[in-house]
Structures are given as C-alpha cells and as structure tokens.
Amino acid sequence: MNIFLLSTKNNRCSRANYSLPLYFLLLLMFFLPSSVSAQQLYHPVSFRKALKAGTRTETGLPGNNYWQNKADYDLDIHFNPSDRLINGHEIITYYNNSNDTLRKIVFRIYPDFYKKGVLRDYALNPQDETNGLSIDKMFVGKDSLNLANEALIEHFGTLLNVFTTVLPNSKVDISVDWHYILNKGSHMRTGAIDESSFFIAYCYPRIAVYDDIEGWDESEYLGTLEPYADFGNFKLAVTVPENFMVWSTGELVNPEQVLQLNIYKKWLFAQKSNLMDIISEDDIRAKKVTASNAWNTFRFNATDVPDVAFAVSDHYIWNGGSVTTKDKTRNIFVSAAFNPEHKDYREVSSFAKQCIQLMSSFMPGIDYPYPQLTIVDGLDQMEFPMIINDNPLDNRIETIELVVHEVYHTLFPFYTGCNQTRYAWMDEGWATLSEWIVSPKLDTTIVDDYGMPRMLRASGNEWDVPVIYPSTEWHRSYSNNAYAKPGFALRFLREMITPDKFNKCIQHFVEVWKGKHPTPWDYFYCFNAAAGTNLNWYWKAWFYDDGEADTGIESVKPKGNNLEVTMILKGNKPVPLYINLYGEKGLIKSFYKSADIWHNANGKVTFSLPDNMLYNYMEVKHIMVPDIDPSDNGKIIAR
C-alpha cells in the first residue's frame, strides 16, 4: 500500500512441474467445460499468445510450457548515516529460463526517481533532487563494460539498458559497484526518517522482469505504481557505524557478531517467547546495543523473495516475540522497531502477531510463509517482503487498519508474485478487503469504511475506467481502481459464495501461483475452478464493464401474506441488498440478498418477503454497499 502454507521451493522460477490434488482436478473436469462455454472473458492479445504458447491455460493453472526467469543477488552495502552515502557492490546471477534469446538486459535504477530532470508523478522539494545513482563499475560475465559506450548502455529515467546477449535456458553473472546519496526529505517509500533513522528501499540496481506476457517490463518508476520483480535468493550485508541497529528482509544470520551479549540473549529468547523488549530505552541510553566495533556488518539471508529492504537507527526500541504456525511446525518472529516517543507503536507488534494468527485461522486459512516480520516506524505506508515502513498514527483504530492492510500484502504481491505495476488491484484490492474483514477481529468497535468516499466520488465519471485496463493506463482512476472498486467486488463475492468457499478459492490460487507471476485471467479462472461455478458474469460486471454501483426500489406491494418487492440495478455493478423494514417505532426486520440475485436478472428482480402487516417503510442501505444515488433507496409501503 502507498496511499493512505504453503512452501514449494523446487522449480519456482523454471518450467512448471507439479501435480494437482485430485479435488481440484475433479473441479476442473466437472465444472469448467460447461461454465467456460457459457460466457467467455475477453483476453488481450498478450494472454491469447500465452495460451497458444502453452504457458497459460483457461483453467487457471500454469501451462505445461510455463517458464519464469530468476535473479539471485549477493548485496554488500555500506551506509554512512552522517552524510547518507550508500556505497554498494552486488553480484547478480541471472537465469534466462525462456526459449528467447535476450538481446539486452533491462535494469531498474530506482534511486534515479530523485534525479534532477526525470519524470515523476509527484513534485519533490528541489533540495531533495540529486544526481541519482552512479554506477562505478560493471562486469557482464568476465567482460568489463565501458559505461561511456552508448552502443552498450542506454540510460533513461529509472531504466538502464545493457546491450548484451543471453542465450535461452542459460545464466549470466553480473557484477556492479555503485553509490548514491539517500534522500533526506520528499520521502517516497525510502529515505531519512529523522536525523539518525532511515528506511532504505530500492537501493540497488536490479534486473527488470522478462515474462511470457509482456517480455521486458519497461514501465518507468514514476512514484505511484509499485514495482514488479522476479523472485530470487538474496544475501544482504549492511555495514553501519557502532550503535546503529539494522532490520531487514530475511533472517539475521550473524546476531552474535553484531549485538551486545545481553541484546543477543534477549533476541534468542524472543524467538520462542511472548512479546518483549529486545532493545529497551535503557539499552539505548547506555549505548549497549551493538558490538563495540567502529563499524558492524549485519548479514541477512532471504529465500524466494522478490525484493529486500532494510532500516537503520541508533535510538529505536525493538519489541518482538514469537507466533507458532497452525501446523505447529515452526515459529515466526514478529517485531516492531520504533521511536519511543510514538506511543501507538507500543501495540504494533501485538497487532501484527494477531494478523498472522488470523491469516492462518480465519482468512484465508494460509500460514504466514516467511520466518519473520518487522514493522518499522517510518514515514510511509508501504510493504516489502518481511519488513514494513509505516508511519505512526494518533488513532488506535487507524493503526490497526494500517497494520492489517500491510501484513496481508504478504500473500500478494510477495508470496504470489502478481504484477502490481500493471495489475495493481490484484494486491491492493485484496489488502483492502482484508482490512475491512480482519480489523474488527482485533477491535470489535471497528466499522471500517476505507475506500467508500473515493468509490462514490469516482463512480460514473468519464474517467472511471474498467478495472481490467492495465493500471499503467489508469491515471486519474488509480486510487479507486486499485483499492476501493476491487475491494468491494471481492467483499460481495465473499458474501455471495460464502467465506469458507472464498477461502478455498484464495488457497487454490496461492497454491497454484506461489512463487510465480499470475495475471488477472489466471486469478479469475482459479476462482471459477475452486468455487465450482462459472463466475465470469461477475468478473465481467465488476472488472470489464463500465458503470457504477447504483440500485433503486421500483415498487413494494403487499400481496397476501408477503411483500412483493421489485428492485432495479441501474449501474451495472451487482451488489448485495441489505433490506430494512420499519414500522412506527423503528426498525422491525432486516433481510439480505447476495449479489447473485442479479445473475441473469437483466437489471430487474422481483422477490417476496414475509409481511407482518406492521411495516410501513422499506429502505435498502448498508454502510459498506456503495450507491451513487440513494434517493430511490427508500419506499413507503402503501396499505
């Protein structure tokens, strides 16, 4: 977010090689042939080509010819907080698992977002503009690259093309030395938090995704759209001065070398204990946190993740503890690192721990897949694998909602690697739904209407484009299409097919696509299979069609012992009906009709409700059902 299980490590980034449980094969055999023929979803040319090539299918499963490239990174980063200088060295092993001969390698240079003269979605404070990232040295294989040779190097915006040849089903080793100055202000997911605290993300040159849908992902990083990245294994070494602690994606593998003995012992204990302060205010005041060396190198390892990020501070409390997975096979270390002045952060690690438990037991019934999670007191609201950059908040309820939203991003886009640059709704819609459904489990007073104002504000305008359009083309409709609209679509779908079946759909999708790159059509067809029904009509209405959420009451008539109700769907988006019947003393009875009531209804439905003769007014309304014109949502019952 940036606005306000299951584990198979074999063949993750090469050709598909797995077997499906019999349950899902039966679903595919008995449900899909008839349902797909009933109503087809339109496929863009890129997906049609993937179907023809056998890398994708209309069952939701990867095709037999599915392939995926991969890059492993060995990162050695030296950071000096006094001048914010980052010096880095990396060795990349890039695997071209495709049948294509690559004539170039596309690098993403994210720090160039702050470079003078580049395009951006947001204006920066001029004093935060820099010279960008400087590459000091690069080797491709054993060949040193002449960085001044325009025939070999093309650098524009946040992209760098290196013209070289990578043969099909081969690998190449690349070495890069670089440096840049971390931004102090204009914090966009990365930068200085205060004078001696920093959240450092996107700090290394990385290889862009080359996939079976679009080839090279050459969309520029302009600020709004979040990165799309290949999976890989990361080794990260971060060297900082004495007294500075480092938190990162991955597992800390040398704690005994970089922590004071007392801190190390508390860290060990916290791996299997309830929440506790590993670094306390007393430890900070005494400067008894890190090893007594002029510089310390913190080493982290992360397996099968799309990115790494880290945070650095010399005055942050560290509170953490353990949560056990549902199957009792492993412990997950959950923690928060924060400024002691920010009192709301005292509960953040507890909220995160509860989220992980609910992810496993409640929705969607999948264990948190990584060994640890750290939430860092920062200046943004942005998720990364195993580490989150969240600003402090004065409102406890908003803190809960934010934690839930970011923790649930773990499954999408990290564990299941959807393209959040091109299909932002696949991860943000999920996180929005999770915030709505899970937050009240942490605090029963929460009624979360996040997204409703933007939904009502955007719906029906000429720039309210269908969600299926790539998010690179949304522009003004980004916020609504990424968060609110897909969130409502998923919420109403969950109600319609039941929460248990919705969980099974998510579980199936994650099982099939974990560690891979699913598209919207893979998502839709996985749901069809796991739900055992054709949902194409619903996908079409919410994701393909123009229109808005708007219902109205046409008539309410007493008829024998019943009320005959006729409702019209004016805005094309199938929504549930929350029907309230009132008498002279107020609300008497409520009824619910799921969004499925509009399936094959041609925009109008008539149904009966039991009439107890005391009703004199009917209203169709709910805090979490958008309706852009509520003027016809109430009707006097004439008797």
Side-chain angles (χ1 to χ4, degrees):
M1 175 180 183
N2 185 244
I3 291 182
F4 226 89
L5 213 85
L6 309 163
S7 178
T8 40
K9 296 180 181 176
N10 298 327
N11 283 332
R12 268 205 173 172
C13 298
S14 59
R15 298 183 185 280
N17 180 19
Y18 53 85
S19 59
L20 271 180
L22 179 61
Y23 167 72
F24 291 120
L25 288 176
L26 290 173
L27 283 176
L28 295 173
M29 290 171 59
F30 288 106
F31 290 106
L32 277 183
S34 60
S35 64
V36 169
S37 63
Q39 184 174 24
Q40 291 279 359
L41 293 177
Y42 173 79
H43 300 148
V45 170
S46 58
F47 193 79
R48 278 180 260 163
K49 288 180 178 178
L51 291 174
K52 186 175 181 180
T55 59
R56 310 273 166 165
T57 72
E58 289 182 276
T59 67
L61 306 181
N64 290 331
N65 297 328
Y66 180 80
W67 55 266
Q68 187 170 308
N69 288 357
K70 174 183 176 181
D72 292 336
Y73 294 82
D74 192 339
L75 298 164
D76 189 352
I77 294 172
H78 187 285
F79 176 60
N80 190 340
S82 63
D83 57 10
R84 307 187 312 284
L85 176 64
I86 292 177
N87 279 293
H89 170 75
E90 66 182 340
I91 297 174
I92 309 170
T93 303
Y94 183 68
Y95 301 84
N96 178 18
N97 294 317
S98 76
N99 289 323
D100 303 332
T101 297
L102 306 182
R103 300 299 180 184
K104 65 179 179 181
I105 300 175
V106 179
F107 285 83
R108 295 199 162 277
I109 313 295
Y110 290 109
D112 281 356
F113 175 80
Y114 289 91
K115 188 175 181 178
K116 297 172 185 175
V118 303
L119 291 174
R120 284 183 289 264
D121 291 332
Y122 308 100
L124 301 182
N125 189 321
Q127 69 185 22
D128 294 320
E129 292 189 317
T130 69
N131 294 323
L133 182 144
S134 297
I135 294 179
D136 305 312
K137 193 188 312 179
M138 178 181 283
F139 282 81
V140 178
K142 296 181 180 180
D143 298 327
S144 177
L145 213 59
N146 182 353
L147 300 173
N149 187 340
E150 293 183 359
L152 298 177
I153 295 286
E154 181 184 45
H155 193 175
F156 57 96
T158 56
L159 296 176
L160 175 74
N161 289 331
V162 175
F163 295 99
T164 186
T165 299
V166 186
L167 296 174
N169 299 295
S170 70
K171 67 177 181 177
V172 61
D173 290 326
I174 301 164
S175 172
V176 188
D177 289 353
W178 79 94
H179 71 274
Y180 75 97
I181 302 293
L182 182 71
N183 56 295
K184 184 175 183 179
S186 303
H187 194 105
M188 175 54 65
R189 305 183 179 121
T190 185
I193 301 168
D194 58 36
E195 288 301 319
S196 59
S197 302
F198 311 85
F199 195 96
I200 302 173
Y202 313 144
C203 70
Y204 58 99
R206 69 165 305 143
I207 297 178
V209 175
Y210 182 88
D211 65 21
D212 64 313
I213 299 295
E214 296 294 331
W216 284 113
D217 171 25
E218 297 186 81
S219 55
E220 285 200 60
Y221 178 64
L222 304 178
T224 299
L225 301 176
E226 297 170 22
Y228 174 41
D230 270 326
F231 289 86
N233 301 321
F234 288 78
K235 292 181 179 179
L236 171 65
V238 180
T239 301
V240 291
E242 181 183 5
N243 297 321
F244 279 88
M245 181 66 197
V246 180
W247 300 269
S248 174
T249 300
E251 292 182 279
L252 178 62
V253 296
N254 66 334
E256 71 284 358
Q257 296 175 8
V258 293
L259 300 177
Q260 289 273 342
L261 181 60
N262 179 47
I263 305 298
Y264 173 57
K265 287 181 177 179
K266 288 193 286 184
W267 177 84
L268 279 178
F269 188 74
Q271 303 298 309
K272 297 181 180 180
S273 76
N274 292 324
L275 296 172
M276 57 177 286
D277 281 352
I278 303 162
I279 298 175
S280 68
E281 289 189 74
D282 289 341
D283 297 322
I284 295 166
R285 280 192 292 267
K287 297 188 181 298
K288 296 290 185 180
V289 173
T290 68
S292 300
N293 303 309
W295 296 84
N296 289 303
T297 300
F298 291 74
R299 300 185 183 278
F300 302 87
N301 288 347
T303 303
D304 291 333
V305 295
D307 197 7
V308 292
F310 63 95
V312 175
S313 179
D314 66 352
H315 63 274
Y316 270 20
I317 290 175
W318 189 16
N319 178 270
S322 172
V323 57
T324 305
T325 56
K326 182 171 57 178
D327 61 7
K328 309 296 184 184
T329 59
R330 61 189 176 91
N331 291 325
I332 300 159
F333 177 59
V334 184
S335 68
F338 58 96
N339 188 325
E341 294 179 0
H342 298 153
K343 304 305 180 185
D344 65 307
Y345 252 91
R346 263 292 163 200
E347 291 189 277
V348 163
S349 52
S350 173
F351 297 153
K353 182 175 179 178
Q354 292 175 71
C355 279
I356 285 176
Q357 291 168 327
L358 289 164
M359 185 184 292
S360 172
S361 63
F362 172 58
M363 189 184 84
I366 298 173
D367 274 334
Y368 180 85
Y370 300 126
Q372 71 92 16
L373 170 67
T374 306
I375 301 182
V376 175
D377 181 353
L379 291 178
D380 213 304
Q381 298 179 355
M382 187 64 201
E383 70 283 353
F384 301 85
M386 294 181 249
I387 190 166
I388 294 168
N389 175 7
D390 272 354
N391 60 295
L393 295 168
D394 293 331
N395 187 299
R396 183 177 185 270
I397 287 176
E398 290 181 358
T399 299
I400 290 173
E401 293 165 349
L402 178 58
V403 169
V404 172
H405 187 109
E406 307 300 1
V407 171
Y408 267 76
H409 266 306
T410 297
L411 295 181
F412 313 106
F414 301 134
Y415 193 51
T416 311
C418 52
N419 183 346
Q420 62 178 346
T421 302
R422 193 169 182 83
Y423 315 119
W425 66 266
M426 292 183 72
D427 69 293
E428 296 297 357
W430 160 253
T432 299
L433 171 73
S434 302
E435 177 183 334
W436 289 336
I437 302 299
V438 176
S439 296
K441 294 288 183 179
L442 277 69
D443 185 327
T444 57
T445 67
I446 291 178
V447 180
D448 186 356
D449 65 347
Y450 169 77
M452 180 63 81
R454 69 178 60 156
M455 181 74 171
L456 296 177
R457 188 167 56 246
S459 291
N461 284 287
E462 65 274 18
W463 43 266
D464 181 22
V465 300
V467 175
I468 201 65
Y469 288 9
S471 37
T472 51
E473 315 304 319
W474 285 346
H475 304 298
R476 190 174 176 186
S477 61
Y478 174 82
S479 179
N480 188 44
N481 274 9
Y483 295 81
K485 198 188 297 183
F488 284 117
L490 294 178
R491 182 187 183 105
F492 303 151
L493 177 64
R494 181 176 181 267
E495 294 174 358
M496 186 173 80
I497 65 175
T498 74
D500 284 346
K501 188 169 285 188
F502 182 84
N503 279 356
K504 289 177 182 177
C505 291
I506 294 290
Q507 291 165 12
H508 175 48
F509 177 62
V510 170
E511 174 63 22
V512 168
W513 286 99
K514 61 190 175 186
K516 300 182 178 69
H517 292 314
T519 68
W521 302 278
D522 304 310
Y523 184 89
F524 298 150
Y525 295 139
C526 270
F527 265 68
N528 289 356
T533 189
N534 183 347
L535 296 168
N536 286 355
W537 71 274
Y538 190 83
W539 304 128
K540 185 176 183 301
W542 270 102
F543 292 86
Y544 281 78
D545 290 348
D546 290 311
E548 58 276 350
D550 189 11
T551 61
I553 304 171
E554 184 173 275
S555 63
V556 185
K557 302 174 183 177
K559 191 172 182 179
N561 294 324
N562 296 311
L563 291 177
E564 184 181 81
V565 179
T566 299
M567 295 287 305
I568 52 176
L569 183 66
K570 301 185 295 179
N572 300 337
K573 304 300 180 195
V575 297
L577 303 177
Y578 286 83
I579 304 162
N580 300 310
L581 292 167
Y582 295 85
E584 291 183 0
K585 295 184 178 180
L587 179 66
I588 298 176
K589 187 75 173 178
S590 295
F591 296 91
Y592 169 79
K593 301 287 185 182
S594 79
D596 192 53
I597 196 171
W598 301 110
H599 188 198
N600 295 323
N602 200 26
K604 180 182 289 191
V605 292
T606 298
F607 53 88
S608 294
L609 299 175
D611 184 6
N612 71 359
M613 305 303 292
L614 297 177
Y615 307 139
N616 58 27
Y617 186 76
M618 186 180 102
E619 184 181 48
V620 178
K621 184 179 180 180
H622 190 272
I623 188 174
M624 288 307 292
V625 179
D627 192 303
I628 67 165
D629 178 16
S631 64
D632 53 2
N633 286 14
K635 200 84 169 178
I636 294 172
I637 303 171
R639 295 190 181 276

